[in-house]
Amino acid sequence: MQAGATDARRAAVLGSPIAHSLSPALHRAAYEALELTGWTYDRFEIDEAALPGFVDGLGPEWAGLSLTMPLKRAVIPLLDEISETAASVGAVNTLVFGEDGRRTGDNTDIPGMVAALREHGVEQVDSAAILGAGATASSALAALSRICTGEIVAYVRSAARAVEMREWGERLDVEVRIADWADAAQALRFPLVVATTPAGTTDALAVAVPERPTTLFDVLYDPWPTELAARWSMFGGAVVSGLDLLVHQAVLQVEQMTGRTPVPVEVMRKAGEQALAARQDPEV
């Protein structure tokens, strides 16, 4: 559907916690740039128990929803259709409502990762390392399956995580070698390193950054830069940030929800940067 500039349509991001989501800033900036004056984008604190009732109560003015944790899997039973990309990792971050109310789920994190890497000149690599093995690591593995022609090594912190990562590899038809977190410093010598762990987890690895690092994709964006990303940049390596990912996955969401293209990437990035700056300095 090609949305008109004055159509009164709604969209929102759902999750718990949700107060610090940057999605409203990104989507609203896109609406303004696209002159979608009747469009609004909000945030709602919704947990898994409340999700079915919330979705069922939405009217025809709703164009779509962005979904963050813990709803990416919980939403799947509520959908009429799910994309192959979302099905591959069992996670939906985008729900689009058709004109007939049909609910279609997609995952824009995976192509968003590929687009963020491409923006930084990374089209293809012959090997890659993943730090971590949580939900984001599965999306990273799916993204790497599209651009990595050789070995993918996942550095994990527990036997249970190792099992999960192997299962994701089998599901995605990608061969993954599992390595112990104690050897994670070795990951930093790969052509591409994707850090998917929580804040602070990779700080101790900063001292192991090689003299000539290649590309680091650190999915965090607040606080930023991480110690690893800062040292990586200091040594001249390329760094792709979590904000890059957030912007590119949001671009794809806006395209799907509004039917408009091209979506203004730089406008959305600037809005995200300003929102982050405002958190650090209330006077901004």
Side-chain angles (χ1 to χ4, degrees):
M1 179 185 70
Q2 182 72 15
T6 58
D7 289 344
R9 303 302 305 276
R10 297 189 68 183
V13 60
L14 314 182
S16 183
I18 201 64
H20 287 80
S21 173
L22 291 181
S23 292
L26 302 181
H27 285 250
R28 290 169 185 170
Y31 296 167
E32 182 177 357
L34 293 169
E35 299 183 349
L36 295 171
T37 55
W39 284 66
T40 59
Y41 189 99
D42 302 297
R43 62 165 67 90
F44 293 95
E45 182 85 14
I46 301 291
D47 61 15
E48 294 164 287
L51 183 61
F54 182 90
V55 174
D56 287 343
L58 300 181
E61 73 277 15
W62 282 85
L65 297 170
S66 305
L67 301 152
T68 187
M69 298 305 290
L71 306 179
K72 292 185 179 183
R73 287 182 170 79
V75 73
I76 293 176
L78 309 178
L79 303 174
D80 297 303
E81 184 179 354
I82 183 173
S83 70
E84 289 185 12
T85 300
S88 72
V89 291
V92 166
N93 77 332
T94 308
L95 194 168
V96 176
F97 297 101
E99 293 184 11
D100 58 357
R102 187 173 179 81
R103 304 168 181 174
T104 301
D106 193 15
N107 186 309
T108 64
D109 286 331
I110 295 166
M113 285 184 175
V114 174
L117 285 164
R118 184 181 300 120
E119 183 180 51
H120 286 262
V122 181
E123 298 274 354
Q124 183 176 295
V125 291
D126 56 18
S127 61
I130 299 174
L131 297 173
T136 306
S138 64
S139 292
L141 185 59
L144 288 175
S145 72
R146 302 183 179 192
I147 67 169
C148 185
T149 60
E151 182 180 52
I152 299 174
V153 183
Y155 291 82
V156 306
R157 290 176 287 174
S158 70
R161 290 296 197 186
V163 170
E164 290 178 11
M165 208 61 180
R166 286 194 185 93
E167 290 176 347
W168 282 118
E170 291 174 3
R171 182 168 181 168
L172 293 163
D173 196 24
V174 177
E175 187 171 345
V176 184
R177 180 164 67 84
I178 306 299
D180 192 273
W181 186 261
D183 299 320
Q186 297 177 10
L188 308 187
R189 299 188 176 278
F190 277 73
L192 173 61
V193 184
V194 185
T196 69
T197 52
T201 307
T202 62
D203 287 356
L205 296 176
V207 297
V209 173
E211 290 185 6
R212 295 181 180 179
T214 48
T215 301
L216 170 69
F217 192 161
D218 195 324
V219 302
L220 296 174
Y221 61 85
D222 187 17
W224 186 262
T226 62
E227 289 191 25
L228 180 61
R231 191 169 178 85
W232 199 276
S233 294
M234 185 175 72
F235 277 55
V239 175
V240 186
S241 74
L243 181 59
D244 293 323
L245 167 59
L246 195 64
V247 168
H248 280 284
Q249 64 83 27
V251 164
L252 296 170
Q253 290 185 334
V254 173
E255 287 181 355
Q256 291 188 30
M257 294 180 192
T258 68
R260 291 295 188 89
T261 187
V263 174
V265 178
E266 290 308 316
V267 169
M268 295 174 71
R269 190 194 316 279
K270 184 177 180 180
E273 290 171 347
Q274 291 175 339
L276 285 173
R279 290 182 187 178
Q280 297 169 6
D281 184 358
E283 298 300 318
V284 173

